[in-house]
Amino acid sequence: MTQELPQAGAVRAYPAPGAAAVRELLLDWCGADADDADDAVRALGALDGPALELADRLYQGIAADMGGVKWLSWPKPPAAHPLLGLFPLLAAVPDMLAFHAERGVDEDLSRRLLGDVGEKLRLNRRLYGRAGLDVAHWFTGHVRGSLYQLGRLQFCVEGEGPAPYVGVHIRGEGGPLTLDAVRDSVEWALEFLPAVFPERYAGPGDLALGCHSWLLDPQLRDWLPERSNIPGFAELFALEGDGDPAGNRSDLWRFVFGRSEDTPVEKLPLDNTLQRSVMAGIEAGVQWRNRFGRLDLSRLGL
């Protein structure tokens, strides 16, 4: 995909972050662990010429599409530089803050949004046993102003058209997925998005919200305990399609078990109720699937 990126310096000079800026942004803005901040500083100093040029081109892609929808397609980082994508993202934080300020987005929301970076750095360390950011492209939605953390949920402007579809996303470290928390987030989004993007949404009636996730698999109801919040969340959505008949291994291994996809089933952790419930389904031959659903506001009383 590298050839799809702008050429180095095509938009404006890449403001390559220095070691002090990387450390401050990760610790003070992104809520990263000290180990990840330390490894990021070391990785920054180890970037060679080709890696720096790729970082420049990745930044150019962000700068050329501020306010764009969804997230950008990025190539996988070179094996020798698993944190490469982090640096153009951090370089784009001032661009994000300027965009947010122009749209009336409070800096507290900007900081809350960047906390997702620290979470994914922690997840990468659990997955691979080292520092990395294998989903760096996901954060191009954050820094370009298309995605926002509003309470428990994230909302992303996705798709083309005058009133693009809004994707609902769920952070792993966001806290309990209670109906009250979900309702509060959705109410916030119905007010927030038309205010921030009046050229796209005249009002709440223009918002079509949907979610594509393993959390919406109705089979989970048969395996999770009644006290679980997940089935209640899934029931808020009107499902469309049947999902991938091949099943969904990658997301479950990543988000439920915190392990890479090549981890054998017998080595998956069983430390909590969710892990034990999903494992029981695996052992019974359940084909877990990602499902897509449209949020039915009436099911939230909205």
Side-chain angles (χ1 to χ4, degrees), residues 74-216:
W74 275 8
K76 291 184 178 180
H81 303 288
L83 282 167
L84 176 65
L86 174 65
F87 305 118
L89 293 169
L90 296 180
V93 168
D95 301 275
M96 180 193 79
L97 293 175
F99 182 87
H100 284 180
E102 291 170 1
R103 297 279 173 153
V105 177
D106 190 271
E107 187 177 292
D108 286 345
L109 283 182
S110 305
R111 286 180 176 271
R112 186 179 306 165
L113 179 61
L114 289 176
D116 198 6
V117 176
E119 174 181 325
K120 296 305 186 292
L121 288 169
R122 283 186 286 277
L123 177 58
N124 267 240
R125 193 173 287 275
R126 290 198 298 274
L127 289 172
Y128 308 113
R130 56 163 173 76
L133 195 62
D134 62 349
V135 292
H137 71 285
W138 159 248
F139 296 100
T140 62
H142 298 53
V143 297
R144 286 167 38 257
S146 62
L147 188 145
Y148 297 87
Q149 178 86 34
L150 304 175
R152 179 62 184 88
L153 302 175
Q154 294 174 329
F155 299 88
C156 186
V157 179
E158 303 177 20
E160 301 302 328
Y165 154 89
V166 177
V168 178
H169 303 276
I170 307 98
R171 277 184 59 182
E173 295 181 4
L177 197 61
T178 65
L179 290 184
D180 285 343
V182 171
R183 184 181 298 107
D184 289 346
S185 280
V186 172
E187 285 184 313
W188 193 349
L190 294 177
E191 177 182 352
F192 177 89
L193 291 171
V196 174
F197 299 106
E199 74 280 11
R200 289 176 172 159
Y201 311 110
D206 283 345
L207 299 181
L209 295 94
C211 181
H212 184 256
S213 174
W214 63 273
L215 291 164
L216 302 191

Side-chain angles (χ1 to χ4, degrees), residues 50-74:
L52 287 169
E53 180 179 349
L54 178 55
D56 186 347
R57 296 180 69 187
L58 294 173
Y59 171 78
Q60 302 305 323
I62 294 169
D65 193 39
M66 291 300 297
V69 300
K70 207 173 179 180
W71 44 89
L72 302 176
S73 295
W74 275 8

Side-chain angles (χ1 to χ4, degrees), residues 224-239:
L224 291 173
E226 291 185 6
R227 65 180 183 277
S228 173
N229 291 318
I230 292 175
F233 176 76
E235 288 172 2
L236 301 173
F237 294 83
L239 297 180

